[in-house]
Amino acid sequence: MPQTLSEQVEFSNDQPIALRHLIDGEWCAGDGAQAASDDPARPGRTVASYRVATEEQLARAVRAAVTAAPGWDRTGPIGRGRILRRAAELLSHRVDDLAALITREQGKTLPEARAEAELSVETLHYHAAQARAADGVTYPSSHPDELIRTVRRPLGVVAAITPWNFPVQIPAWKLAPALVHGNTVVWKPASDTPAVAVAFAEILAEAGLPDGVLNLVLGPGSLGAALVAKPEVSGITFTGSVPVGRSIQAAAVPRGAKVQLELGGHNAAIVLPDADPVETAVALTAGAMSSAGQKCTATRRIIAVGDAYEPLVAALTARVEALVLGDGAAEGVDIGPLVSARARAEVESALAEAKREGAVVLAQPSSAPPEEGHFVPPTLLAGTPDLTICREEVFGPLTVVLRAADLDAAIMLANGTTFGLTASVFTCDERAARRCVTELDAGLVKVNAPTTGSELHAPFGGLKDSSFPAPREQNGDTSAEFFTWSKTAYLRTGTPARSGR
């Protein structure tokens, strides 16, 4: 490519970026249909244009990954870690440019985009350091001259299918551990944020990845389905919707491929009467509304216990009414647009349905949203657990306040969906907090903190429809468990005894 994406971002915002695919070390044009991404704050402005990859180009990317796998394995973990560390250094110098591109293509505010880029730098450094972690476990043997140990080996070719809501961070926490453990990768990013994906792939390639180790193909969901179906793919890591995740599971598990699925969430926050309503409202508003509610960990339900309801609703109302909607690149904006017209229509439809079913709007921002752009006002609702919006995930800035008589009822309400990703409890009562940690059906439970956010070195994953029984993401040990398979070696010294004739 004549210029990096970071350089092109510095051009006029009216100039679309021409994107290419990365296949076997070559940046090449797609042979499929024309496609583009738009600025969600100004839908008439094209951010990037490209031709999608064809199935033949996808097959070439998979063949390149297969061919590159033995050499990448022989590079060894230390050598692979050095390349990831170099990628982290390159990314650290491009944080501002990448953040601007994230805001322009995905819509989140510039501070949110910058935080994502900075956390991605940390993620690359963290997994680069895993190259020096202890490898394998030793066991005693009944034979005095024998050592038994486990040895980790790469899966081979890994398919990474990533979403648009964290277009750098989620790829970073999938690609980095896959690469450091010796796998080659074919990456199919979301169609809404292809330019961000190309910018990140450029950094990884520039850091020194050999040809074919990372292949990037741009295209619709059908391209991802074709990738999953490839028999050469030994592992699939996916973040996205439940239906797509279950289709991946059905296609890949029968042939023995490893599958890691991070799916939806319908996360509840329980608020007890002893919690400070103002401080709690700050955390809840951030958990429900930041990034325009486009997080799988966003707070979808707020369960107020007993006398907590009235003061909490008053504090939440004040916070929501003060929010400012606008272009994420503008100063003073709290909430940007949704990523697309389709996303906006889905959220507006869910809000209208909730009102028809009896939900009451408690608060929206005092200032009107911009006329142009895919904006949906953050909305605080009061309702009952039988509302559709209290069962089905809505990927937008909507949250419902529910009443519960006591903690027993609150825990039952919180667990009353098919999801189980994150949950929170706000209280000064340590016994109640410990009980919630134990009894809430969620992979992450947080005390006096939003349902959103996690530490990159701690395991991340959910229960029920939010995940799949596989090792968790992010953490070094659990990532190693997923991206490798283990063999057991019996190492005996001395000359083998000759068998008698």
Side-chain angles (χ1 to χ4, degrees):
M1 300 180 74
Q3 290 177 307
T4 66
L5 265 290
S6 294
E7 291 169 333
Q8 293 192 50
V9 170
E10 296 176 359
F11 288 176
S12 166
N13 285 342
D14 296 324
Q15 182 69 37
I17 304 168
L19 302 181
R20 293 174 179 262
H21 312 262
L22 177 60
I23 300 176
D24 200 13
E26 176 189 357
W27 289 101
C28 55
D31 294 331
Q34 188 69 35
S37 63
D38 298 322
D39 183 342
R42 294 175 176 79
R45 177 189 294 170
T46 299
V47 174
S49 62
Y50 61 100
R51 289 193 174 276
V52 304
T54 61
E55 291 211 16
E56 191 283 325
Q57 288 178 303
L58 173 65
R60 187 155 60 89
V62 173
R63 289 195 300 270
V66 171
T67 301
W72 185 235
D73 180 21
R74 289 192 295 270
T75 299
I78 302 299
R80 296 191 295 263
R82 289 194 183 107
I83 292 174
L84 284 184
R85 189 164 60 250
R86 173 63 177 153
E89 293 166 353
L90 290 171
L91 179 55
S92 70
H93 295 301
R94 301 178 191 174
V95 162
D96 289 341
D97 288 339
L98 190 58
L101 181 58
I102 293 170
T103 294
R104 184 174 159 196
E105 189 172 51
Q106 194 272 350
K108 65 179 62 177
T109 66
L110 199 54
E112 290 172 323
R114 187 175 291 110
E116 178 179 346
E118 290 171 346
L119 188 57
S120 299
V121 173
E122 293 184 32
T123 299
L124 292 175
H125 275 302
Y126 173 72
H127 287 290
Q130 298 304 305
R132 297 180 183 275
D135 180 19
V137 178
T138 59
Y139 297 91
S141 171
S142 58
H143 193 286
D145 295 323
E146 185 173 69
L147 174 68
I148 305 172
R149 62 165 297 193
T150 58
V151 179
R152 290 199 176 277
R153 303 293 298 128
L155 298 181
V157 178
V158 168
I161 303 175
T162 58
W164 48 261
N165 60 332
F166 286 91
V168 179
Q169 177 56 17
I170 290 178
W173 82 39
K174 292 179 183 294
L175 301 185
L179 292 169
V180 81
H181 289 297
N183 300 282
T184 55
V185 177
V186 180
W187 175 24
K188 209 298 283 187
S191 299
D192 288 315
T193 51
V196 178
V198 171
F200 187 44
E202 280 185 342
I203 289 170
L204 292 169
E206 186 180 340
L209 287 178
D211 294 352
V213 170
L214 173 65
N215 303 274
L216 173 71
V217 289
L218 308 175
S222 58
L223 192 68
L227 173 58
V228 167
K230 296 291 183 185
E232 302 94 332
V233 173
S234 300
I236 299 144
T237 177
F238 168 80
T239 297
S241 71
V242 174
V244 175
R246 294 303 176 223
S247 70
I248 291 172
Q249 176 183 337
V253 171
R255 73 166 189 264
K258 270 189 168 183
V259 175
Q260 183 182 62
L261 305 177
E262 296 302 340
L263 309 176
H266 206 298
N267 315 294
I270 296 173
V271 182
L272 274 64
D274 64 344
D276 181 277
V278 174
E279 292 184 4
T280 301
V282 172
L284 292 175
T285 304
M289 311 300 187
S290 63
S291 295
Q294 297 175 122
K295 298 180 181 182
C296 57
T297 56
T299 307
R300 307 296 178 198
R301 292 166 295 147
I302 298 169
I303 303 171
V305 178
D307 294 338
Y309 187 88
E310 281 76 14
L312 179 64
V313 164
L316 284 168
T317 297
R319 293 292 302 180
V320 171
E321 289 180 346
L323 293 173
V324 176
L325 276 74
D327 186 336
E331 292 275 347
V333 168
D334 300 306
I335 309 293
L338 298 187
V339 72
S340 66
R342 180 188 66 254
R344 176 182 177 180
E346 289 174 356
V347 175
E348 289 177 337
S349 175
L351 179 56
E353 181 180 39
K355 291 177 181 178
R356 287 195 302 271
E357 293 176 350
V360 176
V361 174
L362 296 175
Q364 289 182 323
S366 300
S367 58
E371 294 184 4
E372 183 185 17
H374 305 312
F375 293 95
V376 173
T379 304
L380 180 69
L381 297 163
T384 55
D386 58 333
L387 294 171
T388 302
I389 200 172
C390 288
R391 301 189 308 275
E392 298 179 1
E393 183 180 33
V394 178
F395 222 56
L398 313 179
T399 192
V400 183
V401 185
L402 305 172
R403 292 178 182 266
D406 52 31
L407 184 56
D408 288 342
I411 292 174
M412 185 176 296
L413 279 177
N415 291 341
T417 74
T418 61
F419 298 99
L421 185 53
T422 68
S424 287
V425 58
F426 292 83
T427 182
C428 299
D429 185 337
E430 185 178 352
R431 180 173 295 177
R434 289 201 308 267
R435 184 180 168 197
C436 287
V437 168
T438 301
E439 297 183 20
L440 287 171
D441 293 340
L444 282 76
V445 180
K446 303 177 79 174
V447 178
N448 297 324
T451 57
T452 53
S454 62
E455 295 283 349
L456 63 90
H457 54 278
F460 179 91
L463 307 175
K464 301 191 287 190
D465 273 352
S466 292
S467 194
F468 176 75
R472 303 303 202 191
E473 293 198 270
Q474 298 186 213
N475 170 261
D477 292 336
T478 55
S479 292
E481 185 69 23
F482 178 75
F483 286 111
T484 64
W485 59 276
S486 180
K487 63 169 66 175
T488 304
Y490 288 73
L491 309 172
R492 187 173 295 186
T493 60
T495 303
R498 295 184 177 182
S499 59
R501 292 186 177 182

